[in-house]
């Protein structure tokens, strides 16, 4: 298994020059390596992935390399589970094509720098075989899958940095913990990482598809990490006590989302609007997010309300951790 992707390139006898994968096709074994060696497109994808992976390793020190190596090993095992006996009506080649494309997209942004901090894309890959006795169920799929990615600081320089890494790993596990129940596919990924002097903010998305469901579902979660304190941000870090900020915030948001028909009074938004996981700090104001089905139908998608900083100014602490 480990020859795939990581092995040193040698002559690929079954392919035209320049199309060799990252391993020696003369030593290929099993349906996966054989499929790669027979396909110029898959061989090129394998070579590109190997080059991208090695390039990412070269950008970081040993702690970051360990994160990348662990993710790559998990992905290799994942590929061998899903593509050795691929899902119904899918060939080995098509299975590999899809997984290589997904992994390439991840590795293209495996190492990023924000605010002078180097982040490495950590990964969790799992594939669970479903029970054979469920094969006649219309919703049956041979595997449940988990494909998660989250940022870690590549070379932690403090206890707080290490705590951030542990917190992100814990959030990824927590967001996808019901994967172990089976019968579903989970994804967890992040879009942007923003770093200021006091705060690391990570924009994450969790995807869930229960086999047989009419459509997948998703939810967004902001992770705001106070760097010096080594902890997640709380509402009181932004809003001053005894100012009536919660009443104002829920009333403002209710006025914007009430037409969706899912909430009938401002108090119904209480737990949502006061949660920093819903907050996006933008130049024009504080964006408060609502996931599908919370304030409007699935067809209308997630909703977002922007509350201007000028309107929030009377409710803020004297030295908020947010720049605006």
């Amino acid at each position: 298994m480990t020859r795939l992707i990581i092995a040193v390139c040698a002559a690929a006898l079954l392919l035209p020059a320049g199309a060799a994968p990252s391993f020696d096709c003369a030593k290929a074994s099993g349906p996966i390596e054989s499929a790669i060696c027979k396909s110029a497109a898959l061989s090129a994808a394998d070579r590109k992935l190997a080059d991208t992976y090695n390039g990412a390793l070269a950008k970081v020190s040993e702690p970051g390399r360990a994160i990348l190596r662990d993710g790559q090993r998990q992905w290799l095992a994942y590929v061998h589970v899903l593509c050795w006996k691929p899902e119904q009506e899918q060939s080995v080649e098509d299975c590999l094509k899809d997984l290589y494309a997904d992994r390439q997209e991840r590795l293209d942004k495996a190492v990023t720098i924000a605010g002078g901090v180097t982040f490495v894309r950590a990964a969790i890959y799992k594939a669970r075989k479903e029970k054979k006795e469920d094969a006649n169920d219309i919703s049956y799929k041979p595997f449940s899958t988990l494909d998660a990615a989250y940022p870690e600081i590549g070379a932690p320089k403090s206890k707080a940095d290490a705590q951030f890494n542990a917190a992100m790993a814990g959030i990824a596990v927590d967001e996808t913990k019901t994967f172990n129940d089976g019968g579903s596919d989970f994804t967890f990924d992040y879009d942007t990482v923003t770093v200021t002097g006091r705060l690391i903010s990570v924009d994450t998305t969790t995807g869930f598809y229960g086999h047989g469901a009419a459509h997948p579902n998703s939810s967004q979660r902001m992770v705001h990490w106070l760097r010096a304190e080594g902890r997640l941000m709380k509402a009181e870090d932004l809003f001053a006590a005894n100012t009536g900020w919660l009443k104002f915030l829920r009333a403002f948001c209710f006025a914007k989302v009430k037409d969706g028909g899912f909430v009938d009074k401002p108090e119904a938004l209480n737990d949502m609007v006061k949660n920093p996981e819903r907050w996006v700090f933008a130049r024009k104001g504080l964006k408060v997010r609502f996931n599908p089905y919370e304030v409007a139908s699935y067809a209308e998608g997630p909703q977002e309300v922007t509350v201007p900083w000028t309107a929030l100014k009377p409710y803020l602490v004297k030295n908020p951790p947010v720049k605006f």
Side-chain angles (χ1 to χ4, degrees):
M1 180 188 304
T2 54
R3 290 201 307 272
L4 183 62
I5 305 297
I6 300 175
V8 177
C9 179
L13 302 180
L14 302 177
L15 295 165
S22 66
F23 58 94
D24 186 351
C25 282
K27 300 178 181 178
S29 63
I32 291 176
E33 291 185 0
S34 296
I36 292 172
C37 289
K38 291 177 182 178
S39 167
L42 283 174
S43 292
D46 181 79
R47 165 55 58 194
K48 181 179 179 181
L49 196 68
D51 290 344
T52 305
Y53 172 69
N54 289 325
L57 289 175
K59 294 178 182 179
V60 292
S61 57
E62 183 51 36
R65 292 179 194 132
I67 295 169
L68 291 172
R69 284 194 293 265
D70 179 64
Q72 192 71 352
R73 291 188 185 107
Q74 289 190 50
W75 181 76
L76 289 169
Y78 183 76
V79 168
H80 274 72
V81 170
L82 293 180
C83 295
W84 191 276
K85 292 182 178 180
E87 295 191 4
Q88 297 164 328
E89 300 180 358
Q90 188 180 41
S91 66
V92 174
E93 291 78 7
D94 286 342
C95 179
L96 290 170
K97 180 181 177 181
D98 291 343
L99 293 182
Y100 266 79
D102 290 343
R103 184 61 176 160
Q104 183 65 52
E105 183 179 356
R106 294 283 177 88
L107 285 178
D108 282 341
K109 46 189 178 182
V111 180
T112 57
I113 299 175
V117 180
T118 298
F119 294 91
V120 178
R121 184 170 289 262
I124 305 172
Y125 288 98
K126 292 182 181 180
R128 167 182 169 148
K129 291 184 178 180
E130 294 302 320
K131 297 177 181 179
K132 289 184 178 180
E133 54 262 36
D134 295 332
N136 293 325
D137 188 322
I138 194 172
S139 66
Y140 173 77
K141 291 180 69 177
F143 302 101
S144 288
T145 60
L146 170 59
D147 178 352
Y150 57 93
E152 289 196 1
I153 296 173
K157 296 180 181 179
S158 65
K159 181 179 179 180
D161 285 351
Q163 289 171 327
F164 169 82
N165 287 354
M168 286 306 313
I171 288 169
V173 170
D174 183 65
E175 286 289 306
T176 58
K177 62 185 177 183
T178 55
F179 162 77
N180 293 322
D181 296 337
S184 58
D185 298 314
F186 276 97
T187 59
F188 179 76
D189 203 355
Y190 64 99
D191 184 13
T192 57
V193 180
T194 305
V195 179
T196 65
R198 297 180 60 188
L199 199 64
I200 299 175
S201 295
V202 185
D203 192 349
T204 74
T205 301
T206 300
F208 169 77
Y209 174 68
H211 296 171
H215 54 72
N217 285 308
S218 65
S219 62
Q220 292 179 286
R221 175 178 182 176
M222 290 298 302
V223 177
H224 298 298
W225 185 260
L226 291 173
R227 300 177 68 183
E229 293 86 341
R231 63 170 174 82
L232 292 170
M233 182 180 178
K234 300 176 183 178
E236 53 263 36
D237 295 315
L238 181 64
F239 291 111
N242 303 317
T243 59
W245 67 269
L246 180 55
K247 183 178 180 180
F248 169 79
L249 190 59
R250 72 192 183 200
F252 190 101
C253 290
F254 179 73
K256 301 295 184 180
V257 303
K258 62 181 180 180
D259 291 341
F262 278 53
V263 290
D264 57 1
K265 56 184 178 180
E267 290 77 11
L269 301 177
N270 217 52
D271 290 339
M272 287 181 269
V273 302
K274 71 180 183 181
N275 188 348
E277 294 175 1
R278 306 293 186 125
W279 300 347
V280 180
F281 304 129
R283 181 175 298 178
K284 293 183 178 180
L286 175 67
K287 294 183 179 181
V288 182
R289 286 176 171 171
F290 301 95
N291 291 310
Y293 291 124
E294 290 182 333
V295 298
S297 68
Y298 179 84
E300 293 179 83
Q303 303 294 302
E304 188 175 81
V305 176
T306 300
V307 190
W309 291 118
T310 50
L312 290 172
K313 189 174 180 180
Y315 307 102
L316 301 177
V317 296
K318 289 184 178 180
N319 187 26
V322 183
K323 291 184 177 180
F324 52 85

